[in-house]
Amino acid sequence: MGSEFAADAGAVVSSLIAYEREILPLVRGELDRWRLRASSIPDPLLRGAALSALQADRRNPEATAVFAILAPRSRRAETLRALAPLQIAIDYLDSISEERVPDPLADGLALHAAICDAVSPETKSGDYYIHHPQREDGGYLDALVAACQKAVARLPASERIVPLLRRAANRCGEGQSYTHAAAREGADELEAWASRHQSAPGYLWWELAAGACSSVATHALIAAAADPRTTADEAALIDAAYFPPIGALTVLLDDLIDLEDDLEAGEHNYLSYFANQNEAANRIGLLASRAKAAVADLRHARRHRAILAGVAGFYLSAPSADSGYARPIRGRLLESLDPTVRLIMVAMRLRRHG
């Protein structure tokens, strides 16, 4: 046990060093580049949404950039050029999908078709803004899609991975769309949609929905495409590890730290489906155990475990993770996952206060 912990701790430390030294400066450069592009969007509402997403949600591209550590070192910069515009697009679409429109589901599905297009080289599914009241973005969304497409096409295993990548991205886009619509129209359609994604037994429908609308499987598959040795079968195992368990865990923890704000704003929050905090803690602990088991047989298992520890540590280090509601959940996660989560928590707290 001691040697295994030491090896996992070493993987976490080396991943943190690679992230801080190699990856974070690159993703911040990408954020600066897209912020400049967003500032020229003609429509003031879309411009405000794009700039707000780049500022308020900058933690998302910075956090998902960690998937670049799964790629061969020589291809990490190339991988990041796909990861960053994809997550920036997701955050932008998340922001404009909160606007009140006559048909929020149709609007969301049309907008989020961009996510699937972004990982499908030379694909354009139609007018993303067809149901949206604002549309003059100066080519901003198309540029994000094209940048991701170009980067994905250059990855050596992309041809083998793209079919799975498209499925994961489509699942994410649909999940985002149904989730936003549920905030306005109730959860019936979200539940029906999630029930069609029963990929493994033992998941509650809202855990499937949460896992589906997460982008982590898409990012993990992009990183896998950067490795010329990745086969389609290996990519399927990666997708199964990230959907549902890691994706669901990510979304539920994100909702945990946003719980008070979401309740105050009347926004959808997946934690509301649990009967109480004890059920939430038990189920999230179970998801963490399943996630840990799912990555154990992957080729880069220690790097995947480091990412899983990073997901938990990133969210558990937030001040709101110390609320009365969150404490049982934090306790169960620390029991279910490796002790390396605590290393991540310390590192994240130092970064937040640094």
Side-chain angles (χ1 to χ4, degrees), residues 2 74 105 129 140 209 329 340:
S74 63
L105 182 56
Y129 293 100
Y140 179 69
I329 295 173
T340 51

Side-chain angles (χ1 to χ4, degrees), residues 45-353:
L45 291 177
L46 296 180
R47 182 172 66 251
L51 291 172
S52 176
L54 284 163
Q55 183 59 41
D57 294 329
R58 67 175 296 146
R59 70 184 187 190
N60 293 335
E62 289 185 359
T64 54
V66 75
F67 283 95
I69 69 169
L70 296 172
R73 186 178 297 274
S74 63
R75 296 194 180 275
R76 286 178 180 171
E78 195 171 44
T79 304
L80 191 64
R81 283 192 284 272
L83 298 175
L86 177 66
Q87 189 59 47
I88 291 168
I90 290 171
D91 292 335
Y92 169 64
L93 294 171
D94 182 61
S95 180
I96 65 175
S97 293
E98 293 178 354
E99 295 181 32
R100 294 192 176 274
V101 296
D103 190 339
L105 182 56
D107 182 50
L109 291 171
L111 288 169
H112 285 90
I115 303 307
C116 190
D117 286 356
V119 300
S120 311
E122 300 181 4
T123 298
K124 180 71 163 80
S125 60
D127 180 0
Y128 305 132
Y129 293 100
I130 190 170
H131 299 292
H132 204 72
Q134 292 83 35
R135 58 186 304 108
E136 298 301 326
D137 74 351
Y140 179 69
L141 183 54
D142 282 342
L144 286 166
V145 169
C148 188
Q149 286 178 331
K150 184 177 179 181
V152 167
R154 289 178 174 173
L155 299 177
S158 64
E159 189 173 338
R160 295 191 294 276
I161 308 303
V162 159
L164 262 177
L165 195 49
R166 282 179 54 85
R167 187 176 75 177
N170 186 63
R171 187 174 64 215
C172 171
E174 287 187 356
Q176 294 275 342
S177 303
Y178 278 92
T179 299
H180 280 293
R184 308 284 178 255
E185 300 184 336
D188 289 348
E189 287 187 306
L190 174 63
E191 181 177 358
W193 173 81
S195 298
R196 298 196 294 271
H197 286 274
Q198 185 72 49
S199 63
Y203 290 93
L204 302 173
W205 73 259
W206 59 89
E207 293 168 349
L208 289 168
C213 69
S214 170
S215 64
V216 292
T218 311
H219 290 302
L221 289 169
I222 287 173
D227 187 340
R229 297 173 296 169
T230 303
T231 65
D233 288 344
E234 183 181 2
L237 291 175
I238 293 170
D239 186 52
Y242 283 85
F243 172 71
I246 300 178
L249 187 65
T250 302
V251 170
L252 289 167
L253 290 179
D254 190 63
D255 279 3
L256 178 67
I257 66 171
D258 289 340
L259 182 60
E260 290 187 12
D261 290 340
D262 286 346
L263 290 176
E264 185 177 335
E267 293 296 331
H268 180 273
N269 190 295
Y270 277 105
L271 290 171
S272 67
Y273 296 110
F274 293 113
N276 51 53
Q277 66 184 144
N278 288 330
E279 184 189 23
N282 289 334
R283 293 298 304 184
I284 290 173
L286 179 61
L287 286 169
S289 296
R290 287 178 173 172
K292 182 178 175 181
V295 301
D297 295 327
L298 298 181
R299 179 154 52 93
H300 297 301
R302 292 199 190 282
R303 292 185 198 173
H304 287 284
R305 278 202 296 272
I307 287 174
L308 178 57
V311 167
F314 175 78
Y315 288 112
L316 294 184
S317 67
S320 52
D322 195 36
S323 70
Y325 182 92
R327 283 192 204 109
I329 295 173
R330 183 180 63 188
R332 281 302 308 272
L333 272 176
L334 292 174
E335 290 173 6
S336 302
L337 294 175
D338 298 323
T340 51
V341 173
R342 296 183 185 275
L343 292 176
I344 301 288
M345 290 173 67
V346 170
M348 291 296 102
R349 283 170 178 162
L350 289 173
R351 279 194 65 207
R352 282 189 170 96
H353 295 296

